[in-house]
Amino acid sequence: MFDGFDDALTERHVQAVWYDAALRPDGLRTSGGAEVRVADPGRWNLEAGPDFRDAVLEIGPERRRVRGDVEVHMRTSDWIAHGHANDPAYANVVAHVTWHPGPQTTAGYASLPRRCIHICLGDLLRTRPDFSPDEIDLAAYPYARLPSTPRPCETAFARSTDDALELLRIAGERRLDGKTRRLAALFVRRGDRAQVFYEEMMAAFGYKHNAAPFRALAQTIPWRDLPPRPEAADTALSCAAWLEVARRVPWHTANVRPNNSPGRRISAAAMLFAGALPGLLQRLGTCDFATRGGQRSAIEILRTAQPLGMRRAAAMLANVLIPFAMAEGRLSRAPEWIFPEELNSTARLMAFRILGRDHNPALYSGNGLLIQGLLHIHRTCCLAVHPDCSECPLVRQHAATCASPAYTETPPTSSEPSG
Ligand code: SF4
């Protein structure tokens, strides 16, 4: 009887309903009948993997708290049809949210991760006279529709652009200082700086999703064991990647653009490093990263060795070359300006949180140090204390001092992502 209504709906509508407290109905229950309260719907994931990350739900009368990912579909059968049942990227899904109620087959239930619940939204919304899919502005999600109230960081910083930029600058320095400390510790542990550089650069070649297997690959074939000719190095790395590394650290290949596929990146890494690492380090060692000219020279050195996009080379500059130079003592502190890397979804999300929906991205997109700051705040504040933000060190410090510099939180010293 509701076919016409349901036909107007897409999976993106259901995602918007899940994400937006103003649209999400009260009275959610699991398909088994237990009450569900959404403390946080999670971060809208614009990359491969589950639709929402780090959701917090309270289940049952005892309000049992669970934290994990959420996957949204139109139908329960889509879980298997979309191939999630055997995909480790979906192992942390704690709620499968659908529009239609079922039928939910026994096989479908069995294929969900062990503690995953199922929630049907359609049954609660079809009969509500105030709900119309036509009135959902899908283009507004996710950036324009943050959790129903502005985040406290926006309240604290969006009014003063100077304060906000100072915050990002300090946070960017903290992030690079953390990377520097980690590299310095690796110098001691490995006893081979070239190997440390090679591992960090390989992790950067893996981008966000394949940083771990690329790092494992660099440890499986250390730079000293790389064949000196690029073609032979490519073959050796490729064989090790699929025959050895893949057994320990899975490669992420779903939804990866062809240019970013692990195979292409391995070939590019072989071209850069085969028989060339000491010379490459020597040439990079002559670049003064404190200056724009020095940074541009370093980017060109990377790009002439093998085809690499300007923005990707800039990401390697910020995440590897500059911290490496700081760890070696060639650079005393983070440069005030860093050649900007591409804004990823995390940086954009943080900018919307801190600066509000109407801000001008040009404020930070032209300086890689500020982009590093956005990433650092996300990692050290949002991931740690979201959803209610009440424990956010950034906001507490600002409230305590109401003056710049407002941000003295200390970052973690290990496991910093490369990108
Ligand atoms: S946790 Fe993140 S979103 Fe919340 S106030 Fe802190 S920086 Fe802002």
Side-chain angles (χ1 to χ4, degrees), residues 151-154 350 353-354 377-378 381-383 385-389 392-395:
R151 300 293 84 195
C153 54
E154 180 184 341
M350 281 318 302
R353 284 182 174 167
I354 295 171
I377 294 169
H378 177 259
C381 297
C382 298
L383 288 186
V385 304
H386 211 56
D388 62 14
C389 300
C392 179
L394 179 69
V395 174

Side-chain angles (χ1 to χ4, degrees), residues 56-103:
V56 180
L57 311 178
E58 294 176 347
I59 302 170
E62 75 283 13
R63 292 194 157 195
R64 177 173 57 87
R65 269 210 157 201
V66 296
R67 180 187 288 267
D69 303 332
V70 172
E71 179 68 3
V72 172
H73 288 124
M74 292 302 291
R75 294 177 174 74
T76 50
S77 55
D78 291 340
W79 178 266
I80 291 178
H82 293 190
H84 302 328
N86 299 314
D87 188 341
Y90 291 78
N92 194 35
V93 170
V94 294
H96 185 214
V97 176
T98 65
W99 180 258
H100 295 284

Side-chain angles (χ1 to χ4, degrees), residues 11 17 53 60 82 115 130 132 174 197 204 206 212 215 218 221 248 278 282 293 299 324 326 355 371 388 394 396:
E11 195 170 288
V17 169
R53 298 283 195 188
H82 293 190
R115 58 188 184 130
D130 60 334
S132 165
R174 294 286 186 278
F197 177 80
R215 196 184 295 279
I221 302 191
R248 291 178 280 127
Q282 197 179 18
I299 285 176
F324 193 81
M326 289 166 68
L355 294 163
I371 297 172
D388 62 14
L394 179 69
R396 271 190 309 172

Side-chain angles (χ1 to χ4, degrees), residues 354-377:
I354 295 171
L355 294 163
R357 61 177 291 179
D358 296 325
H359 74 270
N360 179 0
L363 283 173
Y364 51 85
S365 63
N367 185 347
L369 182 66
L370 305 183
I371 297 172
Q372 291 286 311
L374 288 167
L375 299 175
H376 186 71
I377 294 169

Side-chain angles (χ1 to χ4, degrees), residues 302-322:
L302 293 182
R303 278 162 51 81
T304 49
Q306 46 87 47
L308 194 65
M310 204 68 178
R311 298 287 180 169
R312 192 61 211 157
M316 290 174 171
L317 171 77
N319 288 293
V320 183
L321 302 191
I322 287 176

